[in-house]
Amino acid sequence: MPDLLSNGDAQLASPMPPPVAGCDEQAAAPSMDRLMDAAMHGVRNSLSAIRLGVDLLARRGDLNEADAVLEHIDSAAVRAHEQAEELADFCRLAAGRTIATVAKRFPLHHVVRQALEARHSAQPGGVEHDRLGHGDCLGDPVRVAQFVRLALEELAPRAASRCIVISEIDGPRFRIAVHAGDPKAHEAADTPGQRLARAHRQALLRAIAHAHGGELRLASGPPHGWSVEGRFAGAG
């Protein structure tokens, strides 16, 4: 198995290093204030969707239609919670701190599998999960699941049909890589809103990796395709 990281002795609370060379600088350009404004806008949209769903339920007398509305409300509520947590993360980053983590030993492959199952309905093309290595890792399993979700959100629009997720354990170190299995041949240029959303995701992906003493690696387009890779130092 190839060496994953060069800083295997780093601790979870290590300060955030500067952005990794080779990252999408254009996507990382928006200021932290703009990213926080975008996060708040997302929370407001999700909460508005919840209020709309409740209003529809109050007006309908046909119980056969309630399940779909409740599913819509539940999905919007889950996303609103995620966005509220992301906003708290941006506040910490804006203050020059690392994001909060709760380190414990956890089964990496199982946590990644659960994160993929939670995203199943939102990933029409399917996801292939490759597992390398055995054992538990030391880190924050909630943050690891968040990393998987954000990476899939980043790459799903770039994949023609499916994404490939690799979870790898190498002693105390571990790696999560997400690839667009078959990148789209032609893509429309990102809108300003899409570029801002990418910067939002990449800032959080980078912060999760850094909080685990690791790094984020991004590949954007030819010749290596689209991929998001997190290399985590863990602890011995």
Side-chain angles (χ1 to χ4, degrees):
M1 184 178 299
D3 187 34
L4 300 181
L5 293 172
S6 59
N7 57 341
D9 294 329
Q11 300 300 312
L12 292 180
S14 60
M16 285 183 62
V20 178
C23 292
D24 190 338
E25 296 297 334
Q26 182 180 10
S31 68
M32 188 61 68
D33 286 341
R34 288 189 64 198
L35 292 175
M36 291 177 66
D37 287 342
M40 276 301 301
H41 180 70
V43 172
R44 286 193 293 267
N45 282 347
S46 294
L47 292 176
S48 296
I50 294 172
R51 294 184 64 188
L52 176 61
V54 172
D55 185 59
L56 288 174
L57 279 180
R59 295 181 184 184
R60 285 180 175 174
D62 185 359
L63 296 180
N64 292 327
E65 298 185 21
D67 287 346
V69 177
L70 287 173
E71 183 178 350
H72 171 75
I73 294 174
D74 182 64
S75 176
V78 168
R79 186 58 186 142
H81 175 75
E82 292 172 347
Q83 290 167 332
E85 293 298 321
E86 291 171 2
L87 181 57
D89 289 339
F90 275 115
C91 289
R92 291 182 65 88
L93 295 175
R97 302 193 303 272
T98 58
I99 60 175
T101 57
V102 179
K104 61 183 179 181
R105 301 207 70 82
F106 69 96
L108 175 66
H109 301 320
H110 177 70
V111 168
V112 171
R113 182 71 257 163
Q114 284 188 320
L116 296 180
E117 289 175 354
R119 286 271 312 168
H120 178 72
S121 60
Q123 200 74 30
V127 178
E128 176 184 327
H129 182 199
D130 294 338
R131 305 166 181 84
L132 302 174
H134 302 281
D136 291 345
C137 299
L138 179 61
D140 188 329
V142 175
R143 292 296 188 180
V144 168
Q146 182 186 18
F147 186 95
V148 173
R149 173 177 62 80
L150 291 169
L152 286 174
E153 289 177 2
E154 178 75 4
L155 293 185
R158 314 288 179 182
S161 63
R162 65 191 177 95
C163 288
I164 300 171
V165 178
I166 300 171
S167 54
E168 181 178 7
I169 303 169
D170 182 17
R173 297 171 291 181
F174 59 100
R175 177 174 72 102
I176 297 171
V178 183
H179 305 273
D182 47 352
K184 292 179 179 178
H186 302 286
E187 296 184 72
D190 285 343
T191 65
Q194 289 171 330
R195 288 196 297 270
L196 188 60
R198 289 188 66 203
H200 181 144
R201 285 190 296 268
Q202 290 179 15
L204 289 173
L205 286 163
R206 188 175 296 111
I208 294 169
H210 290 166
H212 288 79
E215 63 177 356
L216 176 71
R217 296 185 178 186
L218 303 174
S220 303
H224 303 296
W226 296 91
S227 68
V228 174
E229 180 181 9
R231 299 188 171 201
F232 304 86

